[in-house]
Amino acid sequence: MTGSKVDDQMELISHFYPQNLLPISTRRREGIMASSKVDDQMELISHFYPHIYAQLAQEQVSLGETVKPRRRRKKNKVEGSEVVMRKRKLLSEEQVNLLEQSFGDEHKLEMERKAKLASELGLDPHQVAVWFQNRRARWKNKKIEEEYSKLKTQHETTIIEKYRLETEVLKMKEQLCEAEMEIQKLLLERKSDISSNNSPISSIFSMEQQHFDLGEFGMEGKLMDDNMFFVADNQSTYITLWDN
DNA sequence: AAATGCTAATCC
DNA sequence: GGATTAGCATTT
């Protein structure tokens, strides 16, 4: 890696992440490189002691170093022939905790709260704003997913109930069909009996049957003739014959 | 090491 | 504010 490339990189880092332009950066410039350890150190400081980190950053600024937070540039962008890589640093657990706590209180972020949080966390207020924006998006997604799975289980139980009811209807139709067939069968038997006996046609098909109310049994009955009794309740149909 | 997940940051 | 990108971590 050439020196100028390192410089270019530093320029980019400071461009996107002015807060990274601190003590260590000089060492990098001087080619001592192996930056990862030093970076890790600063990262640790920023992660676990955001206040101290913020303070350090503030000192650097007041010492006159040109660390103006310029507006961030985008992603992989071709500048001349160079491909610019965007850097990204995760927030520390502590920072996230405080942000979460704050988000729990109120999803919206007014200027005052933003500034306060930013200084407490040692972050750019813009970062805080972005965090809240993203957090709201995540929250909304979660809500949508919750609503979706709620509707899904609701739909599933409805489908099951529908199936159960359809089965019940089928069963009842079958029962009804059997009962009607039984009636037909018995009526036909009776009819042929009567005609073979050559006896006068009884009142089976007329409206003159005597009507009984067997309320005590929750049934209704009709006397068909001397030894046949037609009973119907809401479950099934019976023909009761008794010997004389 | 490819796939996947998460999320900070960017763009519109 | 929504959609998207891309860096980083974790999982497979």
Side-chain angles (χ1 to χ4, degrees):
Chain A
M1 201 184 251
T2 74
S4 76
K5 264 203 173 164
V6 175
D7 279 351
D8 286 345
Q9 212 172 37
M10 286 310 300
E11 159 59 18
L12 287 167
I13 290 171
S14 68
H15 189 90
F16 294 118
Y17 298 89
Q19 71 194 41
N20 284 2
L21 233 209
L22 285 179
I24 38 152
S25 60
T26 6
R27 298 171 65 181
R28 275 183 119 184
R29 275 181 194 284
E30 285 162 358
I32 297 173
M33 271 292 44
S35 50
S36 63
K37 263 191 188 165
V38 187
D39 269 350
D40 287 347
Q41 209 176 16
M42 283 310 286
E43 183 145 311
L44 281 175
I45 293 174
S46 74
H47 275 202
F48 297 111
Y49 307 101
H51 292 85
I52 294 173
Y53 190 81
Q55 217 175 321
L56 282 172
Q58 192 49 50
E59 276 171 25
Q60 290 296 318
V61 170
S62 57
L63 281 175
E65 290 208 9
T66 56
V67 213
K68 279 247 173 65
R70 275 169 272 172
R71 180 87 303 187
R72 293 154 189 78
R73 221 185 304 157
K74 199 192 165 176
K75 51 182 174 185
N76 291 357
K77 191 178 175 183
V78 179
E79 281 196 350
S81 60
E82 299 250 354
V83 175
V84 176
M85 294 304 267
R86 172 167 65 169
K87 268 279 173 190
R88 180 184 128 107
K89 206 175 74 174
L90 289 180
L91 302 180
S92 70
E93 197 182 321
E94 201 177 320
Q95 286 173 318
V96 171
N97 285 343
L98 191 54
L99 285 165
E100 283 291 353
Q101 196 182 317
S102 184
F103 183 80
D105 293 342
E106 167 73 67
H107 292 191
K108 286 275 180 181
L109 191 62
E110 332 76 66
M111 288 284 273
E112 265 188 25
R113 209 152 65 97
K114 190 206 291 184
K116 185 163 172 273
L117 264 175
S119 79
E120 280 174 2
L121 295 166
L123 293 173
D124 183 340
H126 181 251
Q127 277 179 293
V128 177
V130 166
W131 189 90
F132 264 75
Q133 183 53 49
N134 286 320
R135 189 64 184 79
R136 281 194 293 272
R138 262 177 268 145
W139 184 81
K140 195 175 165 186
N141 274 339
K142 206 185 106 203
K143 283 284 151 204
I144 289 171
E145 294 231 344
E146 282 171 6
E147 185 63 16
Y148 170 77
S149 57
K150 214 175 85 188
L151 286 172
K152 197 178 164 194
T153 51
Q154 235 174 54
H155 177 252
E156 277 161 4
T157 56
T158 306
I159 293 291
I160 289 169
E161 177 66 359
K162 177 174 175 274
Y163 179 75
R164 195 188 67 74
L165 290 170
E166 279 173 354
T167 314
E168 201 179 317
V169 166
L170 267 172
K171 242 192 288 179
M172 292 174 82
K173 276 182 176 170
E174 214 170 294
Q175 257 180 19
L176 181 63
C177 191
E178 276 169 20
E180 278 170 350
M181 277 163 60
E182 186 71 8
I183 291 170
Q184 286 305 312
K185 199 182 108 195
L186 288 166
L187 288 180
L188 282 173
E189 274 175 23
R190 188 68 190 159
K191 203 173 170 184
S192 63
D193 280 357
I194 290 165
S195 57
S196 70
N197 284 351
N198 219 6
S199 65
I201 293 179
S202 75
S203 55
I204 290 178
F205 299 109
S206 77
M207 300 302 286
E208 303 165 10
Q209 310 140 349
Q210 251 187 285
H211 187 266
F212 296 86
D213 183 5
L214 305 180
E216 188 184 351
F217 306 105
M219 298 181 205
E220 279 193 352
K222 283 181 183 179
L223 186 61
M224 311 299 271
D225 70 4
D226 290 344
N227 57 1
M228 184 172 170
F229 194 64
F230 181 93
V231 178
D233 66 8
N234 52 3
Q235 297 286 323
S236 17
T237 307
Y238 306 95
I239 301 287
T240 308
L241 297 169
W242 60 98
D243 298 326
N244 283 337

Tab-separated table of all heavy atoms in Angstrom, chain A residues 117-136:
chain	number	residue	atom	x	y	z
A	117	LEU	N	-29.150	13.349	23.884
A	117	LEU	CA	-28.735	11.954	23.666
A	117	LEU	C	-27.377	11.891	22.963
A	117	LEU	O	-26.487	11.141	23.366
A	117	LEU	CB	-29.757	11.244	22.790
A	117	LEU	CG	-30.824	10.427	23.502
A	117	LEU	CD1	-31.826	9.896	22.504
A	117	LEU	CD2	-30.177	9.264	24.247
A	118	ALA	N	-27.252	12.697	21.942
A	118	ALA	CA	-26.013	12.672	21.155
A	118	ALA	C	-24.814	12.967	22.038
A	118	ALA	O	-23.799	12.277	21.968
A	118	ALA	CB	-26.101	13.677	20.019
A	119	SER	N	-24.958	13.961	22.896
A	119	SER	CA	-23.799	14.299	23.732
A	119	SER	C	-23.578	13.232	24.793
A	119	SER	O	-22.446	12.901	25.134
A	119	SER	CB	-23.973	15.680	24.344
A	119	SER	OG	-24.845	15.614	25.446
A	120	GLU	N	-24.659	12.661	25.282
A	120	GLU	CA	-24.507	11.591	26.266
A	120	GLU	C	-23.823	10.369	25.672
A	120	GLU	O	-23.089	9.661	26.346
A	120	GLU	CB	-25.875	11.183	26.817
A	120	GLU	CG	-26.405	12.114	27.887
A	120	GLU	CD	-27.838	11.747	28.283
A	120	GLU	OE1	-28.375	10.764	27.743
A	120	GLU	OE2	-28.395	12.461	29.120
A	121	LEU	N	-24.114	10.149	24.405
A	121	LEU	CA	-23.603	8.935	23.756
A	121	LEU	C	-22.301	9.165	23.009
A	121	LEU	O	-21.668	8.218	22.553
A	121	LEU	CB	-24.648	8.410	22.761
A	121	LEU	CG	-25.952	7.928	23.370
A	121	LEU	CD1	-27.019	7.766	22.301
A	121	LEU	CD2	-25.742	6.602	24.083
A	122	GLY	N	-21.934	10.412	22.864
A	122	GLY	CA	-20.748	10.711	22.081
A	122	GLY	C	-20.954	10.443	20.612
A	122	GLY	O	-20.076	9.939	19.919
A	123	LEU	N	-22.150	10.744	20.176
A	123	LEU	CA	-22.471	10.520	18.765
A	123	LEU	C	-22.858	11.834	18.097
A	123	LEU	O	-23.239	12.799	18.762
A	123	LEU	CB	-23.637	9.538	18.631
A	123	LEU	CG	-23.402	8.094	19.071
A	123	LEU	CD1	-24.709	7.317	19.040
A	123	LEU	CD2	-22.362	7.420	18.190
A	124	ASP	N	-22.765	11.805	16.806
A	124	ASP	CA	-23.263	12.920	16.009
A	124	ASP	C	-24.787	12.921	16.139
A	124	ASP	O	-25.415	11.870	16.013
A	124	ASP	CB	-22.846	12.654	14.547
A	124	ASP	CG	-23.257	13.790	13.615
A	124	ASP	OD1	-24.165	14.557	13.994
A	124	ASP	OD2	-22.677	13.885	12.531
A	125	PRO	N	-25.385	14.082	16.389
A	125	PRO	CA	-26.854	14.137	16.478
A	125	PRO	C	-27.524	13.518	15.247
A	125	PRO	O	-28.587	12.911	15.366
A	125	PRO	CB	-27.145	15.633	16.556
A	125	PRO	CG	-25.917	16.215	17.127
A	125	PRO	CD	-24.766	15.378	16.673
A	126	HIS	N	-26.872	13.671	14.133
A	126	HIS	CA	-27.422	13.072	12.921
A	126	HIS	C	-27.472	11.549	13.049
A	126	HIS	O	-28.435	10.914	12.604
A	126	HIS	CB	-26.589	13.476	11.699
A	126	HIS	CG	-27.122	12.900	10.419
A	126	HIS	ND1	-26.472	11.898	9.730
A	126	HIS	CD2	-28.247	13.165	9.723
A	126	HIS	CE1	-27.179	11.598	8.657
A	126	HIS	NE2	-28.262	12.346	8.626
A	127	GLN	N	-26.444	10.988	13.675
A	127	GLN	CA	-26.442	9.534	13.881
A	127	GLN	C	-27.622	9.116	14.746
A	127	GLN	O	-28.268	8.104	14.496
A	127	GLN	CB	-25.151	9.103	14.576
A	127	GLN	CG	-23.973	8.909	13.658
A	127	GLN	CD	-22.748	8.511	14.443
A	127	GLN	OE1	-22.230	9.301	15.217
A	127	GLN	NE2	-22.313	7.274	14.258
A	128	VAL	N	-27.866	9.926	15.762
A	128	VAL	CA	-28.991	9.617	16.653
A	128	VAL	C	-30.298	9.673	15.874
A	128	VAL	O	-31.153	8.794	16.009
A	128	VAL	CB	-29.036	10.609	17.841
A	128	VAL	CG1	-30.235	10.336	18.723
A	128	VAL	CG2	-27.752	10.500	18.645
A	129	ALA	N	-30.407	10.674	15.039
A	129	ALA	CA	-31.617	10.819	14.229
A	129	ALA	C	-31.798	9.602	13.319
A	129	ALA	O	-32.893	9.043	13.205
A	129	ALA	CB	-31.556	12.086	13.409
A	130	VAL	N	-30.694	9.198	12.711
A	130	VAL	CA	-30.743	8.039	11.817
A	130	VAL	C	-31.138	6.798	12.602
A	130	VAL	O	-31.973	6.000	12.160
A	130	VAL	CB	-29.370	7.821	11.130
A	130	VAL	CG1	-29.305	6.445	10.487
A	130	VAL	CG2	-29.136	8.896	10.092
A	131	TRP	N	-30.531	6.674	13.785
A	131	TRP	CA	-30.856	5.495	14.604
A	131	TRP	C	-32.348	5.449	14.897
A	131	TRP	O	-33.001	4.407	14.764
A	131	TRP	CB	-30.066	5.496	15.911
A	131	TRP	CG	-30.213	4.206	16.660
A	131	TRP	CD1	-29.431	3.105	16.552
A	131	TRP	CD2	-31.240	3.879	17.614
A	131	TRP	NE1	-29.881	2.109	17.378
A	131	TRP	CE2	-30.991	2.547	18.042
A	131	TRP	CE3	-32.333	4.563	18.135
A	131	TRP	CZ2	-31.801	1.904	18.970
A	131	TRP	CZ3	-33.143	3.921	19.057
A	131	TRP	CH2	-32.879	2.603	19.473
A	132	PHE	N	-32.912	6.575	15.266
A	132	PHE	CA	-34.348	6.605	15.574
A	132	PHE	C	-35.179	6.298	14.335
A	132	PHE	O	-36.183	5.586	14.421
A	132	PHE	CB	-34.739	7.954	16.172
A	132	PHE	CG	-34.758	7.941	17.668
A	132	PHE	CD1	-33.571	7.953	18.395
A	132	PHE	CD2	-35.954	7.863	18.360
A	132	PHE	CE1	-33.575	7.900	19.782
A	132	PHE	CE2	-35.976	7.816	19.747
A	132	PHE	CZ	-34.790	7.843	20.460
A	133	GLN	N	-34.750	6.836	13.230
A	133	GLN	CA	-35.475	6.566	11.989
A	133	GLN	C	-35.504	5.065	11.707
A	133	GLN	O	-36.556	4.486	11.444
A	133	GLN	CB	-34.803	7.306	10.828
A	133	GLN	CG	-35.524	7.135	9.501
A	133	GLN	CD	-36.997	7.486	9.594
A	133	GLN	OE1	-37.368	8.527	10.112
A	133	GLN	NE2	-37.830	6.594	9.111
A	134	ASN	N	-34.319	4.458	11.809
A	134	ASN	CA	-34.238	3.029	11.548
A	134	ASN	C	-35.007	2.225	12.591
A	134	ASN	O	-35.642	1.223	12.276
A	134	ASN	CB	-32.779	2.579	11.529
A	134	ASN	CG	-32.068	3.025	10.272
A	134	ASN	OD1	-32.620	2.989	9.184
A	134	ASN	ND2	-30.841	3.484	10.416
A	135	ARG	N	-34.957	2.698	13.799
A	135	ARG	CA	-35.651	1.983	14.881
A	135	ARG	C	-37.152	2.018	14.664
A	135	ARG	O	-37.849	1.018	14.890
A	135	ARG	CB	-35.268	2.596	16.231
A	135	ARG	CG	-35.742	1.835	17.427
A	135	ARG	CD	-35.099	0.457	17.501
A	135	ARG	NE	-35.634	-0.314	18.617
A	135	ARG	CZ	-36.796	-0.937	18.591
A	135	ARG	NH1	-37.553	-0.880	17.512
A	135	ARG	NH2	-37.213	-1.616	19.633
A	136	ARG	N	-37.637	3.164	14.234
A	136	ARG	CA	-39.074	3.261	13.951
A	136	ARG	C	-39.453	2.306	12.828
A	136	ARG	O	-40.492	1.656	12.877
A	136	ARG	CB	-39.446	4.706	13.576
A	136	ARG	CG	-39.571	5.634	14.771
A	136	ARG	CD	-40.260	6.934	14.384
A	136	ARG	NE	-39.482	7.750	13.480
A	136	ARG	CZ	-38.589	8.653	13.854
A	136	ARG	NH1	-38.356	8.868	15.134
A	136	ARG	NH2	-37.917	9.352	12.965
